Amino acid sequence: MLDFLNRNLMHPLMARRERSRHLDYLRVLERTQYDQPAVVRARQLAALKVQLRHAHATVPYYRTAWRAAAVHPEDVRSLADLEAFPVVTKADLRRHERDLISSAYDAAKLRLKRTSGSTGVPLNIRIDEPAVQWKTACTIRSDQWSGWRLGQRVAKVWGNPEYRQFGLKGWLRNLLLDRAVYLDTLDLTADRIAEFAKAIRRHRPGLIFGHAHSLYLLACSLKKAGVDDIRPNGIVSTAMILHDWQRAVIEQVFGVPVTNRYGCEEVSLIASECEAHHGLHLNADSVHAEVPKDGRLLVTDLTNRAMPLIRYQVGDVVVPSGGRDCRCGRGLPLIERVEGREADYVITPAGRLISGISLTENFALLIPGTAQVQIVQESLSHLRIRMVSDAGFGDAGRRKVAGLVREVFGPGVRFDLELVDAIPQEPSGKYRFCISHVARDHLQALSA
Ligand SMILES: [Zn+2]
C-alpha cells in the first residue's frame, strides 16, 4: 500500500514540485523499448545529427578538432559515418574541460559532477537539467527490468550515501521518497552488516543495489549467519565486473537473479541486463555506442547538450554480442559483456573492511593533482599507492595522501607513494583499482 502511494502520489508530487519531467519521459521510454531495431537505429541517427550540429555550432573544442580532421556534421548520413570523427579521450577531457562546454549554457548554472571515471581518472562533467531528467528516466526503466518497481524501497550497499551530501533537504527527500536503507561500504564491520540485515528484514526493500564485490560480501556474511529469508524483487549490481561465482552466491542467498548494469558518471547508464539475463541492452535512447576492433568502447551522448561527449573513450573493453536479438523482444541492441573495473576490499588494522572501488574514488577526487590512482595493500601496516600525477600535484597533494591514509587506516600504517607514468590495464581490458594481499583471509573467515 505504501509502495503504491509512493509510486503514484509522492513521486508525481515531488516531480512536479521539482519541475522534473522524468516520469513523463519514463512513460515514453517504457513504450518505445519494444520498437523494432531499425526504428531504434533511425531514432538514434536523428538524435545524433541534432547533437553533432549543436556541438559544431556551440562547442569550441569540436569546431577546432573537426576542422583539423576535415569532417563536418552535414556529411553524416548513417551511424557508421561517425567513424570518421576523432575520438575524445579522458586526457582530452581533462585538458580541454572549458572548451568542451557549450557556449549556449552558463557553466556556473549547470549541474557539476565530479567523478573518478571508470579508470580512476578524476573529471569534471557538466550536465544540463533536461539531460539529467532523461537519464534518470532511462535508469529507472532498466532498474525496473530487475523486478523492482518505482516506489518500492531501495537498500543501497554503497560508499558515501548520497543523501548526506544534501543536508536536511537530502535527508527529507530520502525519508519521503527514496526511503533508502544504506550500508556504508567505506566503513564495514561485522556489526554493521548484522544491523543492515536487520534493517532490510524489517523494511523489506524491493531492490538491493551496490557494487558487485559489496553485494557478494554481504551475501557471504548473510550466508554464514544462516539468514535466508531476505527476498527483494530485484538486485542491481553496478559499476564493476560481476563475476559468475559472485553472482551464484548472491542469487543463492537472496533467491532472485542479479541484474548486471554498466555505466559511468560521464554519460550515466550505458547498458543493463533485462529479465532474460543474456547480455546487456545498450541504453540507445541516451547514448550511441561503438565497439571498434580493439573492443575499447566509444560512446556518444545523445542527450547532454551542455557538454556533449562525442566518440568518448570510456576506458572499458566491451565484448559485442554478434548482432543477436534478445528473447525479451526489446529493440535495444545487445552487448555480451564488459571488462570493466575490478577491485579488492581492503582491511584496516582495526578490522574494518573498505570497498576498494569507493576508496580509490575518494582518493582520486580528494588529492589535488591526481590523474589516476591505484592502491595496493601489501600488509596490514603497509600500503603502496601508485599515482599518475599532473602539474597540479605538489606538497599539498602529498600532505593530503598522508592525511587520508591516517584517517582511513589509522596512525600505524605507513605508505610508499610511487609516481608512475601510467597504470596499465590487464591484458583482458580490466582495470584493477585496488589490490589487497591481506584481506582475502579475512573475507574467507566471513564466508566460511
Ligand atoms: Zn532483453
Side-chain angles (χ1 to χ4, degrees):
M1 184 62 186
L2 200 55
D3 292 348
F4 179 84
L5 280 179
N6 197 29
R7 178 188 177 90
N8 294 298
L9 191 68
M10 290 310 291
H11 274 274
L13 272 177
M14 198 63 121
R16 186 181 293 182
R17 207 184 109 86
E18 292 178 349
R19 298 210 170 98
S20 174
R21 298 195 53 205
H22 68 278
L23 295 176
D24 302 329
Y25 297 152
L26 178 61
R27 272 191 290 278
V28 174
L29 289 164
E30 293 204 311
R31 199 176 59 238
T32 58
Q33 62 185 334
Y34 291 101
D35 287 346
Q36 289 299 304
V39 177
V40 174
R41 274 197 303 276
R43 204 158 42 224
Q44 278 200 303
L45 179 59
L48 176 67
K49 286 179 177 172
V50 175
Q51 181 71 308
L52 290 176
R53 278 188 210 120
H54 164 77
H56 188 260
T58 71
V59 181
Y61 176 82
Y62 291 115
R63 230 181 355 246
T64 311
W66 294 350
R67 193 185 305 128
V71 291
H72 196 279
E74 300 307 328
D75 300 336
V76 172
R77 291 188 175 78
S78 72
L79 290 171
D81 289 342
L82 188 63
E83 287 166 24
F85 285 66
V87 166
V88 176
T89 63
K90 282 174 201 272
D92 294 329
L93 218 168
R94 278 173 67 79
R95 213 173 298 134
H96 304 286
E97 193 187 310
R98 286 276 149 191
D99 276 351
L100 273 159
I101 300 172
S102 162
S103 60
Y105 291 83
D106 177 355
K109 288 188 184 149
L110 289 167
R111 196 172 303 202
L112 172 67
K113 259 193 187 178
R114 292 203 68 215
T115 166
S116 69
S118 61
T119 53
V121 179
L123 304 165
N124 292 325
I125 307 292
R126 266 86 175 182
I127 306 180
D128 61 79
E129 200 50 41
V132 170
Q133 295 169 13
W134 181 259
K135 287 168 187 294
T136 301
C138 290
T139 306
I140 296 173
R141 173 178 68 175
S142 74
D143 282 356
Q144 294 199 125
W145 298 345
S146 74
W148 166 80
R149 299 278 284 156
L150 179 69
Q152 292 176 346
R153 201 188 276 271
V154 179
K156 296 188 180 183
V157 188
W158 205 250
N160 294 342
E162 301 111 306
Y163 69 91
R164 281 191 205 151
Q165 301 165 18
F166 301 105
L168 181 65
K169 195 176 154 204
W171 179 79
L172 257 178
R173 194 190 154 84
N174 187 50
L175 183 77
L176 294 174
L177 208 59
D178 303 335
R179 301 185 298 147
V181 195
Y182 282 93
L183 176 62
D184 186 353
T185 53
L186 280 173
D187 189 8
L188 267 188
T189 58
D191 289 348
R192 293 217 169 155
I193 294 175
E195 253 171 53
F196 181 72
K198 226 188 270 171
I200 51 181
R201 250 199 188 131
R202 190 169 63 239
H203 294 302
R204 299 181 174 277
L207 179 71
I208 300 181
F209 170 92
H211 290 132
H213 71 174
S214 300
L215 293 171
Y216 173 71
L217 178 60
L218 174 67
C220 287
S221 44
L222 294 180
K223 190 177 164 188
K224 193 187 174 199
V227 177
D228 58 3
D229 58 349
I230 295 171
R231 290 286 178 266
N233 300 75
I235 295 182
V236 170
S237 167
T238 184
M240 66 189 294
I241 295 173
L242 170 71
H243 295 286
D244 289 343
W245 48 270
Q246 292 173 323
R247 189 194 283 262
V249 175
I250 302 166
E251 294 186 348
Q252 185 201 348
V253 169
F254 294 107
V256 61
V258 180
T259 298
N260 191 18
R261 183 175 106 181
Y262 167 64
C264 66
E265 292 280 339
E266 297 93 301
V267 300
S268 303
L269 176 73
I270 296 173
S272 171
E273 286 181 359
C274 68
E275 58 277 6
H277 303 284
H278 193 41
L280 295 86
H281 285 285
L282 285 164
N283 181 19
D285 293 290
S286 179
V287 292
H288 168 59
E290 296 170 70
V291 186
K293 278 206 179 66
D294 64 1
R296 286 151 72 101
L297 178 72
L298 301 174
V299 291
T300 295
D301 194 321
L302 301 174
T303 37
N304 185 18
R305 302 267 183 261
M307 190 178 193
L309 292 178
I310 293 163
R311 303 203 84 209
Y312 173 64
Q313 194 166 58
V314 185
D316 295 320
V317 168
V318 160
V319 179
S321 73
R324 73 177 164 80
D325 292 328
C326 186
R327 61 172 180 265
C328 72
R330 291 185 181 88
L332 304 168
L334 282 179
I335 52 171
E336 205 63 42
R337 63 169 196 280
V338 185
E339 293 290 355
R341 309 197 278 175
E342 173 90 288
D344 294 341
Y345 259 80
V346 294
I347 182 159
T348 68
R352 283 166 50 213
L353 283 161
I354 303 171
S355 152
I357 281 275
S358 307
L359 180 70
T360 44
E361 264 169 9
N362 264 16
F363 270 59
L365 289 178
L366 294 174
I367 301 163
T370 315
Q372 203 173 5
V373 69
Q374 181 187 49
I375 298 173
V376 183
Q377 184 170 40
E378 299 285 358
S379 73
L380 261 189
S381 58
H382 181 212
L383 299 170
R384 193 175 300 286
I385 299 171
R386 294 202 178 102
M387 226 174 97
V388 182
S389 63
D390 64 20
F393 185 75
D395 288 344
R398 282 178 195 278
R399 277 197 301 274
K400 187 72 194 172
V401 176
L404 279 171
V405 170
R406 206 167 39 242
E407 185 187 317
V408 175
F409 292 89
V413 174
R414 66 192 176 84
F415 67 93
D416 294 321
L417 182 61
E418 295 176 1
L419 296 180
V420 294
D421 291 333
I423 293 165
Q425 261 168 299
E426 309 253 298
S428 67
K430 274 199 283 269
Y431 276 95
R432 291 193 76 186
F433 274 56
C434 182
I435 298 165
S436 174
H437 297 303
V438 287
R440 191 162 302 150
D441 293 344
H442 192 88
L443 289 173
Q444 262 160 12
L446 257 179
S447 54

